[in-house]
Amino acid sequence: MSALEWFAHKPLGDGIFWIQERFYESGNRANIWLVRGSQRDVVIDAGLGLRSLPDYLRAAGLLPPPEEGSPPRPVLAVATHVHFDHSGGLQHFEEVAVHSAEAAALLRGDNYEAVTWLSDREVARPPRPGWRARNFRVPPVRPSRLLQEGDVISLGDRQLTVMHMPGHSRGSICLHDKDRKILFSGDVVYDGSMIDWLPYSRVSDYVASCRRLMDLVDRGLVEKVLPGHFNIFGAERLYRLASNYIAQAGICHKVSTCAMRSMASIALRITNSRVTS
């Protein structure tokens, strides 16, 4: 199967494209965002990596061909975090950026921290004959840029500001286009239940991140959220999702989350030990 078959995209206007992996039929299927700038382009998250996303971008005409005698237009792949559904495709990019808290995990190909858990039934059309999900791994990738809170990724005519928002994972980030009031939220928030029971999740961090999200809405700095999963939503829904999480993050929730984290950690270690053995 070619890259052109594996992916599909939808233009949203203003240089933003929504890309998905067509045959990854799972609630874990991540949204991929291409943001075009006057000087460079950014891909936010990269999917599983079963097919080359850069190949798709070129074949679909989403990246302009280089002018004769000029190098290809630079494309930076930014991972909102290193979980497998967002980071598997980073291997296909020359320039990769990730928050410094998760850079070491990406560099060593740590599939425990990447929460690598894929089943055959989730892949409707295997990428090649004989492919099996149990052999899927997030390969080691050396980041070319380590991100920190407040860093600005310049595309020329637009700037994306890094907001470190731990909770879902220790290196989770959002990217904020302040001028357009757009928030690329990764898995910090999407229109569904927030997952805070993974190996490097932390409820107290998540509560603090949700307070920051509510503050963005209170200050009128976000009007549209482009999340890591599911559909786009607006400021009112963002505020409600964040405030609802804070309201339910009491002692009982923390106890149940701790138990779920222990079970998930054991299952992940068993699963990934089988892959490596």
Side-chain angles (χ1 to χ4, degrees), residues 29 38 45-46 59 69 94 108 142 160 217 251-252 255:
R29 182 175 69 182
S38 61
D45 292 328
E94 294 183 7
R108 65 177 175 265
R142 180 177 296 277
L160 302 177
V217 177
I251 295 297
C252 291
V255 170

Side-chain angles (χ1 to χ4, degrees), residues 117-118 159 245 272:
W117 205 328
L118 185 65
Q159 319 297 320
Y245 180 84
N272 285 292

Side-chain angles (χ1 to χ4, degrees), residues 37-268:
S38 61
Q39 296 180 8
R40 71 175 308 153
D41 303 323
V42 165
V43 168
I44 302 171
D45 292 328
L48 296 176
L50 298 182
R51 282 292 176 264
S52 169
L53 181 54
D55 286 353
Y56 175 78
L57 298 177
R58 289 188 288 266
L62 300 184
L63 296 180
E67 297 181 7
E68 188 173 352
S70 300
R73 182 182 176 91
V75 180
L76 175 67
V78 180
T80 60
H81 60 305
V82 299
H83 289 170
F84 76 102
D85 46 329
H86 299 258
S87 66
L90 297 176
Q91 61 180 308
H92 300 298
F93 290 86
E94 294 183 7
E95 295 185 67
V96 171
V98 67
H99 191 271
S100 59
E102 294 180 353
L106 184 62
L107 180 59
R108 65 177 175 265
D110 185 339
N111 280 263
Y112 174 75
E113 185 157 355
V115 194
T116 301
W117 205 328
L118 185 65
S119 67
D120 287 334
R121 68 178 179 274
E122 292 176 300
V123 182
R125 286 181 58 181
R128 58 186 175 276
W131 180 89
R132 291 292 180 270
R134 65 175 178 269
N135 297 320
F136 173 81
R137 301 279 292 172
V138 175
V141 174
R142 180 177 296 277
S144 53
R145 180 171 177 180
L146 302 184
L147 301 174
Q148 301 283 355
E149 167 73 25
D151 286 352
V152 176
I153 299 171
S154 177
L155 283 65
D157 59 344
R158 67 196 311 161
Q159 319 297 320
L160 302 177
T161 301
V162 175
M163 303 185 70
H164 182 209
M165 297 279 210
H168 177 70
S169 75
R170 57 182 171 180
S172 282
I173 62 169
C174 297
L175 294 176
H176 188 203
D177 186 333
K178 295 180 180 179
D179 294 336
R180 294 165 178 82
K181 299 185 178 182
I182 296 173
L183 187 72
F184 297 91
S185 66
D187 282 5
V188 175
V189 60
Y190 46 78
D191 202 351
S193 298
M194 298 184 192
I195 295 177
D196 58 5
W197 43 264
L198 296 172
Y200 289 92
S201 302
R202 188 173 178 180
V203 174
S204 58
D205 285 344
Y206 225 145
V207 168
S209 292
C210 284
R211 289 190 175 123
R212 292 190 70 190
L213 293 173
M214 294 168 65
D215 182 63
L216 288 174
V217 177
D218 285 337
R219 293 162 59 198
L221 298 177
V222 172
E223 294 180 353
K224 183 183 293 185
V225 181
L226 277 58
H229 297 273
F230 312 128
N231 291 320
I232 297 167
F233 53 93
E236 183 178 346
R237 184 61 177 160
L238 173 61
Y239 193 94
R240 185 174 303 160
L241 288 165
S243 61
N244 285 348
Y245 180 84
I246 293 172
Q248 57 86 41
I251 295 297
C252 291
H253 177 79
K254 290 180 179 178
V255 170
S256 63
T257 296
C258 184
M260 291 177 66
R261 182 182 301 114
S262 296
M263 290 187 291
S265 296
I266 292 169
L268 278 166

Side-chain angles (χ1 to χ4, degrees), residues 1-9 19-24 29 50-53 55-57 59-60 125-128:
M1 182 189 304
S2 70
L4 200 54
E5 295 176 285
W6 180 258
F7 297 97
H9 74 271
I19 303 169
Q20 291 188 323
E21 298 174 284
R22 296 174 59 210
F23 300 108
Y24 181 29
R29 182 175 69 182
L50 298 182
R51 282 292 176 264
S52 169
L53 181 54
D55 286 353
Y56 175 78
L57 298 177
R125 286 181 58 181
R128 58 186 175 276

